[in-house]
Amino acid sequence: MTAAELVRHALKLLVAKDMAAFAGLWAEDGVIEFPFAAPGYPSRVEGRAAIQEYMRDYPDILDVRQIVQETVHQSVDPEVAIVEFEVAGVVPRTGKPYRMRYVAVVTVRGGEIQLYRDYWSPLAAADVLGGLETVNQAFAGGAHE
C-alpha cells in the first residue's frame, strides 16, 4: 500500500469509528506529532500501544460522520504523503456540530505509518468542545509527551 493509499484508508477508518484498526496502521514504534500543541496538550505520542490508548475514546469526544473534503498529495519522497481534509460531525457531550480542517504529513514504511505529523489546532477545536481545558482533558489523558 502506498503512502497516499494508506492515508485514504486511515480516513475511512476514522469515519467508521474503528479506532483499533486506525491505530493499528502505525508501526510498532510509530509516532504522532502535534507541532501546534497548546500548553498542556501532548506534542508527541510514541508507539502503537500508546497511539491505541490515545485514540481509544476519540468517538466519544468527536463523532466524525463525514470527510467533507479530502486532498492527498504525493510528495517527491514515495514514503511521504500530505493530506488536507475537512471533517464534519458532532460533539457527543454537547450535541454541537463539529467541522474542522486538518493537514497531516504522513511517512509510511513497509505498509505502516512511521510518522504522522498532525497540524490540527486544539485552539480551533476549543470553541466547539467547550474550551481549551476540555480539549486538553479529552485528548491528553492517554498520551505521553
Side-chain angles (χ1 to χ4, degrees), residues 16-145:
K17 297 167 188 45
D18 190 343
M19 297 299 95
F22 181 81
L25 297 175
W26 268 258
E28 192 68 37
D29 61 347
V31 174
I32 298 177
E33 289 182 353
F34 303 100
F36 298 140
Y41 190 89
S43 60
R44 187 175 173 94
V45 182
E46 297 183 42
R48 184 185 300 143
I51 292 165
Q52 286 175 326
E53 179 63 24
Y54 177 80
M55 295 302 299
R56 184 186 60 187
D57 296 329
Y58 189 86
D60 296 330
I61 300 163
L62 294 174
D63 178 4
V64 175
R65 296 183 176 176
Q66 178 184 12
I67 303 295
V68 178
Q69 179 273 331
E70 169 190 325
T71 305
V72 179
H73 306 277
Q74 180 58 60
S75 77
V76 294
D77 181 341
E79 294 184 329
V80 178
I82 298 99
V83 60
E84 302 174 78
F85 63 103
E86 182 176 354
V87 303
V90 174
V91 178
R93 187 176 67 77
T94 65
K96 285 185 176 180
Y98 177 84
R99 193 164 178 141
M100 193 157 133
R101 293 182 177 168
Y102 298 81
V103 174
V105 179
V106 185
T107 302
V108 174
R109 288 190 194 105
E112 297 179 311
I113 297 172
Q114 190 65 44
L115 175 62
Y116 187 104
R117 194 169 292 127
D118 193 346
Y119 291 91
W120 84 292
S121 172
L123 297 176
D127 181 47
V128 174
L129 292 172
L132 188 55
E133 182 68 27
T134 302
V135 172
N136 288 343
Q137 287 174 356
F139 288 108
H144 306 285
E145 291 186 65

